[in-house]
Amino acid sequence: PADLGCATSNGRHGGEFGGVAGNQSDAATGRGKQQFDTCQRNHRGQMSMMPLTAAFVVSNRTVWEQAHACIQNLPVRLAVEQGMEQSEPAEADALLDRIERHRVDVVLVEASRIAIPLEEFIRRLGNTASQPAVFVLNPDASPELILEALRAGANESLYPPLAETLRDALQRLSAARSKGGSDTSRALGKIFGFLSARGGCGATTFVVHIATDLARQVKQPTLLADFDFEAGLLRFLMKSKNTYSVRDAIDNLHRMDSSLWKALVSTLADKLDVIPAPDEVAAKHAPGREEMTHLMRFIRSTYQLSIIDFGRSISTAALDSLPELETLYLVTTPDQTTLERAQRTIQQMEERGFSGNRVKVLLNRAHGRKKNDLDAIEKTLGRPCEAVFRNDHLSLYDAYSEIGRAHV
């Protein structure tokens, strides 16, 4: 059915479901049910795929049309697209530079469209920061072309019809990366998110001081990002003069690369990069799921360590970011209303399939609480508290003053 986004007119589906025309209605019904079930499986696979960023270097019309038709219904963003007719080595260098800047996950390439040997092209891709997978798309099923691609180190060597084979290959790559099963995925950085069960629990306070101290210790570029689209405070607390925000990054994902990203963030002491939430009311609308995932993946490819403030209460931005997070720290206070909200937040994350051991609870403002109180709180939440913090307004004031002096 068209609404499931499942093409059944290509060669493989036609052979599988078209078969020999028969008069038996039950056989036709059986084939129809089989086709519908397969479409449902394909649709579920597309919906569960983690988004990928791709480079597309193809000029053969048949390959180009079939590959484009395949990825239209998949969460694949084309960041680089180039047909390299009569290309010179200098153009190959420029292509490799664009792939490097856009941090792509996969390169779909027709071997005849690059002027340097395929083996050298793949080797140089492996030396880039993102180390993309390479899918060689051949115009036909030539054994020589397939063998050449595999010997050169390509991850896949595909040829028309591409509707199923390319889709399946992209889904395998997406699954491997989401599980950390590839070399590239292992090279990606870690994102630690912080979320308040309700307003005033202190997540932003934790984020500011953890990111500042972390950057001081690791002595490498570290990101502090504000994804609180309701009441983002990082711009004020960090005294950032940057006029750009995460909304600008989201709106420019189609052309995002390292140079554009550096223009959007402000770099403070100890190589701490800060990108605040938007100030303008019109820019505060939440991003879509694929937008969040693409941006999170770009952040992971740029920084080894990132700290993100998701603000107060569970948001679509926080939920859509869960697969890319190393850990989400949920900040709560001991009052019953906040604990109930924290409990609901944990349930929502678990319903999204976020592993329970990746949600850590931080209990704030627990001054004077006895062990029996803590046991009751942990029973309410259904998990232990990772850490317990008491009120210390004077130390907090001194710490904020130190941050202000460091970043003015």
Side-chain angles (χ1 to χ4, degrees):
D3 62 333
L4 288 178
C6 180
T8 59
S9 59
N10 62 73
R12 181 168 297 187
H13 271 164
E16 188 174 346
F17 302 124
V20 179
N23 295 323
Q24 293 92 342
S25 59
D26 57 340
T29 301
R31 288 195 300 272
K33 183 178 185 301
Q34 182 185 16
Q35 178 175 337
F36 180 75
D37 291 344
T38 301
C39 289
Q40 284 188 311
R41 289 194 298 272
N42 294 342
H43 181 64
R44 286 194 295 269
Q46 293 165 10
M47 293 299 291
S48 62
M49 262 188 72
M50 294 300 300
L52 298 171
T53 301
F56 199 70
V57 189
V58 174
S59 62
N60 179 278
R61 176 169 292 275
T62 299
V63 174
W64 189 94
E65 289 178 348
Q66 292 192 18
H68 264 268
C70 173
I71 65 177
Q72 277 182 348
N73 293 320
L74 296 175
V76 177
R77 178 175 68 92
L78 290 181
V80 179
E81 186 167 6
Q82 183 170 339
M84 299 185 64
E85 297 181 5
Q86 307 299 321
S87 60
E88 299 295 332
E91 292 185 45
D93 291 341
L95 172 64
L96 286 162
D97 181 64
R98 290 174 65 197
I99 291 172
E100 167 81 17
R101 287 188 289 109
H102 283 276
R103 312 280 181 140
V104 303
D105 296 298
V106 58
V107 177
L108 308 176
V109 60
E110 184 183 349
S112 61
R113 306 325 303 163
I114 52 176
I116 60 177
L118 180 61
E119 185 175 2
E120 180 183 349
F121 182 72
I122 294 176
R123 178 184 59 78
R124 291 175 65 179
L125 284 174
N127 291 331
T128 63
S130 62
Q131 297 178 320
V134 180
F135 293 0
V136 175
L137 307 183
N138 297 312
D140 55 59
S142 166
E144 292 78 11
L145 293 176
I146 296 173
L147 188 59
E148 177 191 4
L150 296 178
R151 284 177 172 171
N155 300 85
E156 302 279 353
S157 181
L158 309 173
Y159 52 87
L162 294 169
E164 284 196 3
T165 55
L166 180 56
R167 183 201 66 221
D168 292 346
L170 290 169
Q171 288 179 342
R172 287 195 299 272
L173 176 64
S174 176
R177 300 217 164 192
S178 66
K179 295 177 181 177
S182 66
D183 292 339
T184 305
S185 186
R186 285 195 295 270
L188 294 175
K190 296 179 179 181
I191 299 176
F192 298 91
F194 287 77
L195 176 70
S196 283
R198 63 182 297 189
C201 289
T204 300
T205 300
F206 279 103
V207 161
V208 168
H209 294 93
I210 289 173
T212 302
D213 194 58
L214 187 64
R216 185 183 299 124
Q217 292 186 41
V218 300
K219 302 185 185 305
Q220 64 182 22
T222 305
L223 178 67
L224 171 58
D226 191 350
F227 280 86
D228 182 358
F229 285 88
E230 293 185 6
L233 293 173
L234 285 187
R235 191 192 302 273
F236 169 74
L237 293 174
M238 301 303 293
K239 295 181 171 55
S240 173
K241 297 178 176 62
N242 187 2
T243 58
Y244 297 110
S245 72
V246 292
R247 170 50 60 186
D248 296 294
I250 292 164
D251 291 343
N252 289 279
L253 274 175
H254 62 285
R255 62 189 188 96
M256 182 62 68
D257 59 22
S258 56
S259 58
L260 175 58
W261 178 258
K262 291 301 294 182
L264 297 178
V265 302
S266 56
T267 302
L268 306 181
D270 300 311
K271 300 180 182 179
L272 178 62
D273 287 352
V274 177
I275 185 165
D279 283 334
E280 302 80 8
V281 175
K284 289 181 177 290
H285 60 280
R289 182 178 182 181
E290 289 187 17
E291 290 175 324
M292 280 302 301
T293 307
H294 279 305
L295 183 54
M296 290 294 160
R297 182 58 61 94
F298 179 84
I299 288 171
R300 290 182 64 199
S301 69
T302 304
Y303 300 92
Q304 284 301 303
L305 291 170
S306 300
I307 306 296
I308 291 183
D309 181 8
F310 287 109
R312 55 187 179 183
S313 304
I314 196 70
S315 63
T316 55
L319 287 173
D320 293 339
S321 301
L322 290 178
E324 295 295 327
L325 300 183
E326 182 74 14
T327 304
L328 180 69
Y329 289 96
L330 178 62
V331 184
T332 184
T333 50
D335 60 283
Q336 190 61 33
T337 301
T338 305
L339 289 174
E340 289 174 357
R341 290 198 180 188
Q343 185 184 40
R344 288 198 297 270
T345 298
I346 293 170
Q347 290 173 348
Q348 285 181 282
M349 289 187 285
E350 290 177 342
E351 288 170 0
R352 281 290 190 106
F354 194 60
S355 176
N357 59 7
R358 292 165 63 193
V359 180
K360 308 292 185 183
V361 175
L362 303 180
L363 181 63
N364 199 17
R365 305 196 184 106
H367 182 67
R369 293 279 169 171
K370 298 179 180 179
K371 185 179 184 305
N372 290 342
D373 295 332
L374 181 59
D375 291 342
I377 289 171
E378 292 180 338
K379 184 177 180 180
T380 298
L381 296 175
R383 65 190 55 236
C385 295
E386 187 73 9
V388 178
F389 301 87
R390 61 184 177 86
N391 273 332
D392 192 348
H393 297 295
L394 183 60
S395 296
L396 182 61
Y397 175 81
D398 290 342
Y400 269 127
S401 299
E402 182 183 344
I403 290 175
R405 290 192 296 272
H407 298 311
V408 168

